[in-house]
Amino acid sequence: MNRAELLACPECDLLQSDSTVSRPRKALCARCGATLYQRHPHGLERTVALTAAALVLFAIANSFPILSLELQGERTDATLAGAVVALWSQNMQLVAALVAFTAILMPLAELAALAWLLVPLRFGLRAPQFGAVFQALQFAQRWGMVEVFVLGALVSLVKLGHLANVEPGIALWSFAALMLVMAAIEANFDPRDLWQRVAPL
Ligand SMILES: [Zn+2]
């Protein structure tokens, strides 16, 4: 039986065969040189560990203040959820919805989907609704924008510094760490490896 399978280049769409017998760590497109896939040893285990770390950081980032502001002797702490509620009540419903969607809902959906798919797979089991959750994961990865939020928060921190005494809170550091951990997840997560592990189950 011919066990070679076809791979399409994500950049130039060239179809090329990939031998499942001697699969290299990294495969490049024969025509344009784009990376077809890159395998990471223990990629699944690493992604599970990083997802657990990211969930802890996400919980901290949403439970503690992002910044403390002191103006005319009055001190205010702002959490992310508190900021969303404040934006909503100040007639900025669209901004509030965007912040809640891209900085809270989608990152949480991404981490939850990763845990749902990968933890059972780690024990050789296929999670229920695997395909649907995988699609939800791809959607959440496109819409999760923790890095944009961290950048925005840093810029406003610098700008507010002229007007009031502003101190970054523990949640801001957690968000910054979460941004790095989520980047590491996306670097380690290999959908190809995922589907190859699921296929025999
Ligand atoms: Zn190509």
PDB file of all heavy atoms in Angstrom, residues 19 62 65 81 101 113 119 192:
ATOM      1  N   SER A  19       6.188  11.380   2.631  1.00  0.00           N
ATOM      2  CA  SER A  19       6.277   9.986   3.051  1.00  0.00           C
ATOM      3  C   SER A  19       6.041   9.894   4.554  1.00  0.00           C
ATOM      4  O   SER A  19       6.610  10.638   5.330  1.00  0.00           O
ATOM      5  CB  SER A  19       7.658   9.441   2.699  1.00  0.00           C
ATOM      6  OG  SER A  19       7.860   8.260   3.426  1.00  0.00           O
ATOM      7  N   ASN A  62      -7.625  38.325  35.504  1.00  0.00           N
ATOM      8  CA  ASN A  62      -9.004  38.781  35.564  1.00  0.00           C
ATOM      9  C   ASN A  62      -9.521  38.973  36.985  1.00  0.00           C
ATOM     10  O   ASN A  62     -10.664  39.385  37.170  1.00  0.00           O
ATOM     11  CB  ASN A  62      -9.911  37.818  34.798  1.00  0.00           C
ATOM     12  CG  ASN A  62      -9.832  38.082  33.308  1.00  0.00           C
ATOM     13  OD1 ASN A  62     -10.371  39.059  32.812  1.00  0.00           O
ATOM     14  ND2 ASN A  62      -9.096  37.236  32.598  1.00  0.00           N
ATOM     15  N   PRO A  65      -6.465  43.979  40.060  1.00  0.00           N
ATOM     16  CA  PRO A  65      -6.501  45.237  39.303  1.00  0.00           C
ATOM     17  C   PRO A  65      -5.409  45.315  38.240  1.00  0.00           C
ATOM     18  O   PRO A  65      -4.292  44.840  38.460  1.00  0.00           O
ATOM     19  CB  PRO A  65      -6.262  46.317  40.363  1.00  0.00           C
ATOM     20  CG  PRO A  65      -6.362  45.658  41.675  1.00  0.00           C
ATOM     21  CD  PRO A  65      -6.176  44.201  41.482  1.00  0.00           C
ATOM     22  N   ALA A  81     -12.714  43.490  34.000  1.00  0.00           N
ATOM     23  CA  ALA A  81     -14.183  43.413  33.960  1.00  0.00           C
ATOM     24  C   ALA A  81     -14.783  44.753  34.386  1.00  0.00           C
ATOM     25  O   ALA A  81     -15.767  45.212  33.794  1.00  0.00           O
ATOM     26  CB  ALA A  81     -14.669  42.284  34.873  1.00  0.00           C
ATOM     27  N   PHE A 101     -14.848  40.783  24.211  1.00  0.00           N
ATOM     28  CA  PHE A 101     -14.752  39.694  23.237  1.00  0.00           C
ATOM     29  C   PHE A 101     -13.296  39.292  22.965  1.00  0.00           C
ATOM     30  O   PHE A 101     -12.944  38.112  23.019  1.00  0.00           O
ATOM     31  CB  PHE A 101     -15.429  40.143  21.934  1.00  0.00           C
ATOM     32  CG  PHE A 101     -15.563  39.062  20.907  1.00  0.00           C
ATOM     33  CD1 PHE A 101     -16.450  38.014  21.083  1.00  0.00           C
ATOM     34  CD2 PHE A 101     -14.801  39.090  19.742  1.00  0.00           C
ATOM     35  CE1 PHE A 101     -16.575  37.011  20.136  1.00  0.00           C
ATOM     36  CE2 PHE A 101     -14.915  38.085  18.793  1.00  0.00           C
ATOM     37  CZ  PHE A 101     -15.810  37.055  18.994  1.00  0.00           C
ATOM     38  N   ALA A 113     -10.650  25.342  24.798  1.00  0.00           N
ATOM     39  CA  ALA A 113     -10.679  24.403  23.671  1.00  0.00           C
ATOM     40  C   ALA A 113      -9.397  23.568  23.646  1.00  0.00           C
ATOM     41  O   ALA A 113      -9.447  22.349  23.418  1.00  0.00           O
ATOM     42  CB  ALA A 113     -10.853  25.166  22.364  1.00  0.00           C
ATOM     43  N   VAL A 119      -5.963  17.417  26.710  1.00  0.00           N
ATOM     44  CA  VAL A 119      -5.807  16.621  27.941  1.00  0.00           C
ATOM     45  C   VAL A 119      -6.257  15.165  27.722  1.00  0.00           C
ATOM     46  O   VAL A 119      -5.494  14.240  28.028  1.00  0.00           O
ATOM     47  CB  VAL A 119      -6.494  17.311  29.149  1.00  0.00           C
ATOM     48  CG1 VAL A 119      -6.461  16.412  30.376  1.00  0.00           C
ATOM     49  CG2 VAL A 119      -5.806  18.646  29.454  1.00  0.00           C
ATOM     50  N   ARG A 192      -1.248  19.307  12.726  1.00  0.00           N
ATOM     51  CA  ARG A 192      -0.926  18.107  11.952  1.00  0.00           C
ATOM     52  C   ARG A 192      -0.685  16.922  12.872  1.00  0.00           C
ATOM     53  O   ARG A 192      -1.238  15.834  12.676  1.00  0.00           O
ATOM     54  CB  ARG A 192       0.350  18.400  11.175  1.00  0.00           C
ATOM     55  CG  ARG A 192       0.377  17.903   9.775  1.00  0.00           C
ATOM     56  CD  ARG A 192       1.718  18.243   9.190  1.00  0.00           C
ATOM     57  NE  ARG A 192       2.368  17.023   8.755  1.00  0.00           N
ATOM     58  CZ  ARG A 192       1.944  16.322   7.733  1.00  0.00           C
ATOM     59  NH1 ARG A 192       0.917  16.708   7.035  1.00  0.00           N
ATOM     60  NH2 ARG A 192       2.557  15.206   7.390  1.00  0.00           N
TER      61      ARG A 192
END
